Amino acid sequence: MRGAGGRAGLRVRLPRAATEAARCLGLADPLHRHAAEELRSVLEPNAERLRATLEAFSSADVGGTPRGGVSRPAASDADKAVRDRFAGMAGDLGLAVRVDDAGNMYARREGSRPDAEPVLVGSHLDTVVPGGRFDGILGVGLALETVALLNDADTRTARPVEVVNWTGEEGARFPPAMLGSGVVTGAWDVEYAHSRTDAAGARLGDELSRIGYLGERGNRLGSFFASLEAHIEQGTQLEEADADVGVVSFIEPVRWCTTRVTGRGGHAGGPGPDGRAEAMVAAARMVAAARDASLDSGDFKTTVGTMRVEPGSNNVIPHEVTFNLDIRSQDDDTLGQRLARVTERFDEIARQEGVEVAVEQAWALSGPPFDASVQQLLARVAGERGVRWAPVRGHIGHDSLHLASMGPAAMLFTRTQGGLSHCEGEFAPWESVLTTATVYANAALALADAETLT
Amino acid sequence: MRGAGGRAGLRVRLPRAATEAARCLGLADPLHRHAAEELRSVLEPNAERLRATLEAFSSADVGGTPRGGVSRPAASDADKAVRDRFAGMAGDLGLAVRVDDAGNMYARREGSRPDAEPVLVGSHLDTVVPGGRFDGILGVGLALETVALLNDADTRTARPVEVVNWTGEEGARFPPAMLGSGVVTGAWDVEYAHSRTDAAGARLGDELSRIGYLGERGNRLGSFFASLEAHIEQGTQLEEADADVGVVSFIEPVRWCTTRVTGRGGHAGGPGPDGRAEAMVAAARMVAAARDASLDSGDFKTTVGTMRVEPGSNNVIPHEVTFNLDIRSQDDDTLGQRLARVTERFDEIARQEGVEVAVEQAWALSGPPFDASVQQLLARVAGERGVRWAPVRGHIGHDSLHLASMGPAAMLFTRTQGGLSHCEGEFAPWESVLTTATVYANAALALADAETLT
């Protein structure tokens, strides 16, 4: 990015956070001169059309809830309905739609160089139950709006633009999360994806087939020039920075640790407090110790969201308590060090309480960082468009995390209210949505015309 | 109790604990002179017969498990089988068996004064799943052995002796616990008892009827002169005192407090540790704080045996955590004060963590103390028989707790190994069993001949 001034004639309201970020990010122009020079038009989103698109993806006939949310588990009837709608809208925009063997949908706008790697835009249309009306939906909506703007401008980009709707990003019905993008990027075999079952025992493969969205392996995305995903923030960094748009530097790596504490069971009326080796008390001290360690250190965070207590009777001292420790930090190294510190603390507590503790890593997510060149492009476009933006970090997995292992990927975040997400109250202010759409469309256009990223 | 010497000719090995207890308990001779003078014979248990009785109540055909325990939920087929066996054994001893409308079985040995209130002996034959081969069984076995010894001695006591098998003491299949004795003592209406359902929805009334043990209301125990129950300790007080028999002073009162902690939910990747109002962390601090308070104070104890975490996903900050606090102390006043202190601590923690906490008392047990006169008799008999005994407190509900609200009740505890109970490993050393049988039978004889308790 080039300083904070931007081009003459553009209104510039670059906040301090952005200036600082520019200093951090800003090296040379990230795009090859060819692309930068050829940013031929400035795309301005059509507010009415964008709003209609977002409403079409959250109306009652595609899983919209009476309280303003959306309940649309992957491969459900509601998911079929919204996929049909997505295909219809893509068709209306002149896009060719294909479906791969993981149920991922791609809607392609050809470029002038049909052999060139495409620019990938989009997100996912499945939700948690009940979910909000922005998560995933906004990312698909902004991608379609971008294509519509290119159509409006009658612009033929050099590269193809592909709007994608990934299957089962949420993992709410068929865990794990980010399944469709995981298949395409090689994180999972497609057989694994097909064999995932929901709570009722239905298999994802069968359900995709049932709703008519089990496609061909040959339709999978092969490679891409750059990938751009917009998403609501699911946090409060943008509110705190009073910015509308976030340029995401990275998504925090995460580890899940199954922590099993084994003590001595017995009747609650039995031994006095001195004579116990009690899994529940030790586990409680561990939960508190993890929090205290994160407060002390300030550079990682922990969450305990599940706890299984055995045997689970009011008047029986549990002999075993198992909880999951979700731990996140800024990078893998820090995370590893902090986890080691926390588990040391767990060991100490176990010794003091006379119980055993075993910490087993059940899941880890540590994607490569997002592409610096694309981040710089996003920052530059935001600066040029006078957008209040800030560099942010992602705290939650997204399909782009898988994509970053396959090619240059980046994300934009849209400001949300109070960090609410995955719930019916999820809300992104309209101004932030429009502002994100502006940055998104113009960055996509720049990428679609770029010859190389440097 | 009269000093530590006992009668000439009796071997006396009174431990120090008993001497101290004697000082505490010992006032005048607790029994009216009439009874004390007329302790006509000294009953010595028949070890072989007693062992056979205990084995008959824990053999495979009445619910015995391959690993040496017993699985015999109330009103199950195994319970029917053991009830049939109990009735047969009682009949063989010349006892008249009747069944009341709660399924309680009474086997009566008539006295010379048939109108006199009976001496009640016995316990329960139902178990948890899997339970041990002593809990409840031992109490019924010692009662039958006492009758057998009276028969051996050809002694006709003044009062009738009734051996009882209470229905559903465990509450494991049909909660709450101590249901049969609760009906007889007025704690529960019989309609309530009949309507209790098991996990499969079966009603206790129907199940009692199915197994042929739904009897008549008129058969209920009306009143008793004194009640005596033997039970394994379910703790380690006797091991610590190196004694075989415990004279139980009281059962600790218990309260169950449903503690609901409500915080702010969200995604685990969302807010940093500073910005959270987290139910799980607050609940953990409360569990630890309850333990710390009990360690500091030393006169109460707490157990958290259940914890419900909402919504219960690895990567979701729980918005609500509910746990049960089981709290026990030596008497109601102390218990009330300690509970108040603990809930104050909970409130402090809730304020510090920015969450809400609500503590609701869900259940309380605070029976009247056991009868001092009967305790003194037991201590005296134990002393005279040279038994290693100690005063102990009960930590767990027993039918005698209900009975103590109806008349003079007392309990003897038999030493167990390592405090194990309600499990297949439950074990009472044979010497302790025989020693308890001696004290039990001779005290029952004294009570059956006593005119009054003073």
Side-chain angles (χ1 to χ4, degrees):
Chain A
M1 180 172 169
R2 287 273 180 73
R7 296 182 182 176
L10 288 177
R11 181 164 145 261
V12 174
R13 292 186 299 158
L14 204 60
R16 204 153 63 94
T19 317
E20 282 164 12
R23 236 194 328 272
C24 294
L25 292 169
L27 301 170
D29 188 328
L31 290 177
H32 189 276
R33 193 72 14 203
H34 174 75
E37 296 301 320
E38 292 197 7
L39 188 62
R40 292 162 298 188
S41 59
V42 173
L43 306 178
E44 291 290 351
N46 179 326
E48 199 176 327
R49 181 176 55 203
L50 176 56
R51 197 188 280 273
T53 302
L54 296 178
E55 283 172 1
F57 286 151
S58 59
S59 55
D61 54 339
V62 293
T65 68
R67 296 170 64 187
V70 176
S71 285
R72 195 157 57 211
S76 63
D77 291 347
D79 193 25
K80 174 188 167 42
V82 85
R83 284 165 175 264
D84 289 348
R85 178 158 298 169
F86 171 78
M89 293 162 80
D92 291 346
L93 290 169
L95 307 181
V97 177
R98 69 181 194 276
V99 180
D100 72 16
D101 54 338
N104 300 310
M105 301 175 72
Y106 311 87
R108 180 176 171 107
R109 185 178 194 267
E110 288 299 344
S112 59
R113 291 168 44 206
D115 292 344
E117 286 179 314
V119 171
L120 198 64
V121 291
S123 186
H124 64 96
L125 290 173
D126 70 317
T127 74
V128 296
V129 177
R133 61 198 179 282
F134 293 94
D135 187 335
I137 293 167
L138 179 66
V140 178
L142 293 196
L144 287 177
E145 176 63 18
T146 296
V147 168
L149 291 173
L150 295 176
N151 288 357
D152 291 348
D154 205 13
T155 296
R156 187 161 176 85
T157 56
R159 301 181 173 281
V161 174
E162 294 205 352
V163 181
V164 67
N165 169 32
W166 297 111
T167 293
E169 193 270 353
E170 295 293 358
R173 182 180 177 196
F174 297 101
M178 306 179 292
L179 203 49
S181 56
V183 168
V184 166
T185 57
W188 308 114
D189 290 335
V190 72
E191 293 74 22
Y192 172 81
H194 287 171
S195 70
R196 297 302 85 203
T197 51
D198 67 7
R203 294 171 77 254
L204 174 58
D206 298 338
E207 283 292 279
L208 283 173
S209 175
R210 182 183 69 80
I211 66 168
Y213 281 93
L214 184 64
E216 301 294 319
R217 184 175 189 123
N219 285 340
R220 283 193 205 169
L221 177 75
S223 67
F224 56 83
F225 173 68
S227 162
L228 200 53
E229 182 178 7
H231 208 281
I232 55 162
E233 183 197 340
Q234 307 184 292
T236 57
Q237 296 168 96
L238 292 171
E239 276 191 342
E240 284 154 24
D242 193 22
D244 290 311
V245 180
V247 176
V248 187
S249 345
F250 63 93
I251 293 180
E252 291 180 334
V254 186
R255 303 204 188 155
W256 284 0
C257 299
T258 305
T259 307
R260 176 170 289 113
V261 187
T262 311
R264 193 164 56 236
H267 197 292
D274 274 331
R276 296 191 181 190
E278 199 170 340
M280 185 72 223
V281 171
R285 295 198 199 280
M286 288 171 194
V287 172
R291 168 54 43 87
D292 291 340
S294 76
L295 285 170
D296 283 352
S297 163
D299 61 2
F300 74 105
K301 61 194 165 197
T302 62
T303 302
V304 174
T306 56
M307 186 169 278
R308 201 179 65 231
V309 181
E310 295 288 345
S313 289
N314 282 355
N315 60 347
V316 178
I317 301 168
H319 60 271
E320 189 175 278
V321 173
T322 307
F323 63 88
N324 181 73
L325 179 77
D326 174 302
I327 183 166
R328 295 165 193 247
S329 190
Q330 61 211 18
D331 56 64
D332 269 322
D333 281 354
T334 311
L335 181 54
Q337 288 163 22
R338 299 306 174 258
L339 178 56
R341 184 189 298 176
V342 167
T343 53
E344 248 172 56
R345 225 12 231 119
F346 285 5
D347 286 336
E348 277 173 36
I349 290 168
R351 275 194 299 276
Q352 285 157 5
E353 297 288 329
V355 302
E356 300 289 321
V357 64
V359 179
E360 187 193 328
Q361 188 171 305
W363 182 71
L365 177 148
S366 52
F370 288 137
D371 186 81
S373 297
V374 184
Q375 285 181 59
Q376 289 169 41
L377 168 67
L378 292 167
R380 196 194 68 187
V381 172
E384 287 173 355
R385 306 304 305 152
V387 163
R388 294 184 300 176
W389 73 280
V392 292
R393 63 163 81 173
H395 298 298
I396 295 171
H398 294 285
D399 292 309
S400 292
L401 202 66
H402 280 316
L403 296 170
S405 67
M406 189 178 181
M411 291 191 79
L412 281 177
F413 277 176
T414 296
R415 175 173 177 158
T416 45
Q417 275 185 2
L420 288 179
S421 85
H422 281 194
C423 59
E424 291 169 316
E426 184 181 79
F427 183 73
W430 185 240
E431 188 190 347
S432 305
V433 169
L434 273 182
T435 308
T436 311
T438 301
V439 179
Y440 191 82
N442 288 290
L445 172 58
L447 289 167
D449 277 339
E451 203 159 276
T452 60
L453 294 170
T454 42
Chain B
M1 178 171 169
R2 287 273 180 72
R7 294 182 182 176
L10 288 177
R11 180 162 147 263
V12 174
R13 292 186 299 156
L14 204 59
R16 204 153 63 93
T19 317
E20 282 164 10
R23 238 195 325 275
C24 294
L25 292 169
L27 300 171
D29 188 328
L31 289 176
H32 188 277
R33 193 75 12 204
H34 174 73
E37 296 299 323
E38 293 196 7
L39 190 59
R40 291 162 298 185
S41 59
V42 172
L43 307 177
E44 292 289 352
N46 179 327
E48 201 176 325
R49 181 176 56 201
L50 177 56
R51 196 188 281 272
T53 302
L54 296 178
E55 283 172 2
F57 287 152
S58 59
S59 55
D61 54 339
V62 292
T65 67
R67 297 171 65 186
V70 176
S71 286
R72 194 157 58 210
S76 63
D77 291 347
D79 193 26
K80 174 188 166 43
V82 84
R83 284 165 175 264
D84 290 348
R85 177 158 295 168
F86 171 77
M89 293 163 79
D92 291 346
L93 289 169
L95 307 180
V97 176
R98 68 182 195 276
V99 180
D100 73 15
D101 54 339
N104 300 311
M105 300 176 73
Y106 310 88
R108 181 176 171 105
R109 185 178 194 267
E110 288 300 345
S112 58
R113 291 168 43 206
D115 293 344
E117 286 178 314
V119 171
L120 199 65
V121 290
S123 186
H124 64 96
L125 290 172
D126 71 318
T127 74
V128 296
V129 177
R133 60 197 180 283
F134 293 94
D135 188 334
I137 292 168
L138 179 66
V140 178
L142 293 195
L144 288 177
E145 176 62 17
T146 296
V147 168
L149 290 173
L150 294 176
N151 288 357
D152 290 348
D154 206 15
T155 296
R156 187 162 176 86
T157 56
R159 300 180 174 281
V161 174
E162 294 204 352
V163 182
V164 66
N165 169 31
W166 297 111
T167 294
E169 195 270 353
E170 296 293 358
R173 182 180 176 196
F174 296 102
M178 308 178 290
L179 203 50
S181 56
V183 168
V184 166
T185 57
W188 307 114
D189 291 334
V190 72
E191 293 75 21
Y192 173 82
H194 287 171
S195 70
R196 296 303 84 202
T197 51
D198 67 8
R203 295 171 74 255
L204 174 58
D206 298 338
E207 283 292 279
L208 282 173
S209 174
R210 182 183 68 81
I211 65 166
Y213 281 93
L214 184 64
E216 300 294 320
R217 183 175 188 123
N219 284 340
R220 283 191 204 170
L221 177 76
S223 67
F224 56 83
F225 174 67
S227 161
L228 201 53
E229 183 178 6
H231 207 280
I232 55 162
E233 184 198 338
Q234 307 185 293
T236 57
Q237 296 168 95
L238 291 172
E239 277 191 342
E240 284 155 24
D242 193 22
D244 290 311
V245 180
V247 175
V248 188
S249 345
F250 63 92
I251 293 181
E252 292 181 335
V254 186
R255 303 203 188 156
W256 284 1
C257 298
T258 305
T259 307
R260 176 169 289 114
V261 186
T262 312
R264 195 165 55 237
H267 197 292
D274 274 332
R276 296 192 181 188
E278 199 169 342
M280 186 73 223
V281 171
R285 293 198 199 281
M286 289 172 194
V287 171
R291 167 54 44 86
D292 291 339
S294 75
L295 285 171
D296 285 352
S297 166
D299 60 3
F300 74 105
K301 62 192 166 199
T302 62
T303 303
V304 174
T306 57
M307 186 170 278
R308 202 179 65 231
V309 180
E310 295 289 345
S313 290
N314 281 355
N315 61 348
V316 178
I317 301 169
H319 60 271
E320 189 177 278
V321 173
T322 308
F323 63 88
N324 181 73
L325 179 76
D326 174 303
I327 182 166
R328 297 166 192 246
S329 190
Q330 61 211 20
D331 56 64
D332 269 323
D333 281 354
T334 311
L335 181 54
Q337 287 163 21
R338 299 307 174 258
L339 178 56
R341 185 189 298 175
V342 168
T343 53
E344 247 172 55
R345 225 11 231 119
F346 285 6
D347 286 337
E348 276 172 37
I349 290 169
R351 275 194 300 276
Q352 284 157 4
E353 296 288 329
V355 302
E356 301 287 320
V357 64
V359 179
E360 187 193 329
Q361 187 171 306
W363 182 70
L365 177 148
S366 52
F370 289 137
D371 186 81
S373 297
V374 184
Q375 284 181 60
Q376 288 171 41
L377 168 67
L378 293 167
R380 197 194 66 190
V381 173
E384 286 174 354
R385 306 303 303 151
V387 163
R388 292 184 301 176
W389 72 280
V392 292
R393 63 164 82 173
H395 298 299
I396 295 171
H398 294 285
D399 291 309
S400 292
L401 201 67
H402 281 316
L403 296 171
S405 67
M406 189 177 179
M411 291 190 79
L412 282 177
F413 276 176
T414 296
R415 176 173 175 159
T416 44
Q417 274 184 3
L420 288 178
S421 83
H422 281 193
C423 60
E424 291 169 316
E426 185 181 80
F427 183 73
W430 184 239
E431 188 190 345
S432 305
V433 169
L434 272 183
T435 308
T436 311
T438 301
V439 179
Y440 191 81
N442 287 290
L445 171 59
L447 289 167
D449 277 339
E451 203 159 277
T452 60
L453 295 170
T454 39

